[in-house]
Amino acid sequence: MLSLRDIRVRSGAREILAVPALDIDTRQMTVILGHNGSGKSTLLRLMARQSVASQGRITLHGKPMAAYGARELARRLAFLPQNLPAGQGLTVRELVGLGRYPWRGLLGRWQAADHAAVRSAMKSADIASLADNDCDLLSGGERQRAWIAMLLAQDAPLLLLDEPTSALDLGHQYALLRLLRRLNVDRHRGVITVLHDLNLACAFADRIVALQAGRVAFDGAPTDFLRPERLSRLYGIDIDLLARPGGLPQAVVRETA
């Protein structure tokens, strides 16, 4: 369980985030939604210990987040930021290999399992054919997939991803969400991710946490989230739902004359 209590994040006089209580089941796939500036990335960075709240406390499995050592925490959660570093001077294989640092350190002797983890991660992220390519020469989508592979190679039981589909084409967006869902169901790895596409989120998530102006506006199942009045209020635009045979309804912006 990842638990937040009495969380507040301020920038000067402005309050960016206010979360009195939030418990995330780290066995599930949770998607954080909300309009731009609602606090999604701020919340995820707090969960990943990439930033510190103005007040409040966060625990992971009952232990204060601040009490974890860096490598100890990296063995428990892996974080993909929204703005990815370039990976300058590294091949894709070398970048993905950095995911093994929590287990081997910088100078530790690699084992067969480490090499297997890197190969498996590149294959899962559909980047194996580019293993020997320089990261500097990758397209935006390829670089995104290389960093996702590094996260997979880290082999942490909890993955936190900030807009992992932002640079991907439609096919790779669905492939990534299917991969994350398989990791969750088949390998029991928890997933917490920020997405913008609410239809994609509802198709794959166990749970939706929606933010509005830095506060939790909804927390529950996708089937409960998909209400026209709720979506319209959250996004500030009229939204309708279109029924789809055998699946969840599709949210669409209401056409106006």
Side-chain angles (χ1 to χ4, degrees):
M1 188 71 71
L2 183 60
S3 298
L4 296 86
R5 292 292 182 273
D6 304 318
I7 294 295
R8 292 187 183 277
V9 177
R10 301 183 184 91
S11 178
R14 180 183 170 217
E15 189 166 69
I16 298 172
L17 196 66
V19 180
L22 182 64
D23 293 315
I24 303 288
D25 187 338
T26 55
R27 299 167 299 181
Q28 292 184 326
M29 182 164 174
T30 299
V31 173
I32 303 172
L33 289 173
H35 54 77
N36 288 342
S38 61
K40 303 184 300 296
S41 293
T42 299
L43 177 61
L44 195 72
R45 286 197 302 269
L46 288 177
M47 292 177 177
R49 207 176 71 178
Q50 297 297 304
S51 60
V52 179
S54 305
Q55 74 173 60
R57 64 188 186 279
I58 303 176
T59 60
L60 177 63
H61 307 316
K63 181 176 178 177
M65 189 71 81
Y68 284 95
R71 283 182 64 185
E72 182 187 13
L73 184 64
R75 291 178 180 181
R76 285 161 174 76
L77 66 83
F79 173 64
L80 183 77
Q82 183 177 1
N83 299 312
L84 300 175
Q88 191 170 7
L90 297 175
T91 66
V92 169
R93 191 192 316 276
E94 289 168 339
L95 175 67
V96 177
L98 294 178
R100 300 306 297 164
Y101 166 75
W103 306 100
R104 295 290 169 251
L106 290 176
L107 302 176
R109 189 180 186 87
W110 270 46
Q111 317 255 336
D114 299 304
H115 295 288
V118 169
R119 288 193 301 270
S120 175
M122 289 192 296
K123 181 179 179 181
S124 295
D126 193 23
I127 204 78
S129 63
L130 301 175
D132 296 317
N133 289 40
D134 290 338
C135 291
D136 306 4
L137 303 178
L138 300 179
S139 70
E142 290 167 344
R143 189 158 60 96
Q144 189 99 346
R145 287 173 9 237
W147 277 87
I148 288 167
M150 187 186 75
L151 231 67
L152 299 179
Q154 189 172 329
D155 204 26
L158 178 61
L159 304 178
L160 288 82
L161 307 96
D162 194 354
E163 298 189 33
T165 60
S166 61
L168 303 181
D169 58 54
L170 188 60
H172 279 109
Q173 287 181 33
Y174 274 87
L176 173 60
L177 269 295
R178 284 194 293 267
L179 170 61
L180 294 176
R181 191 60 182 158
R182 284 199 309 273
L183 290 171
N184 175 246
V185 173
D186 298 337
R187 296 179 58 182
H188 310 293
R189 295 170 77 171
V191 177
I192 306 173
T193 183
V194 170
L195 294 177
H196 272 298
D197 189 321
L198 66 91
N199 289 311
L200 199 62
C202 290
F204 289 96
D206 294 307
R207 177 182 180 185
I208 300 291
V209 175
L211 299 183
Q212 187 172 36
R215 287 160 172 76
V216 176
F218 176 84
D219 180 7
T223 50
D224 296 327
F225 180 62
L226 288 172
R227 300 286 187 271
E229 64 282 358
R230 175 174 288 134
L231 299 178
S232 299
R233 189 166 56 249
L234 179 67
Y235 288 99
I237 190 170
D238 291 334
I239 294 177
D240 289 326
L241 295 178
L242 298 181
R244 290 192 307 137
L248 291 174
Q250 192 89 358
V252 296
V253 175
R254 185 180 304 163
E255 293 185 10
T256 57

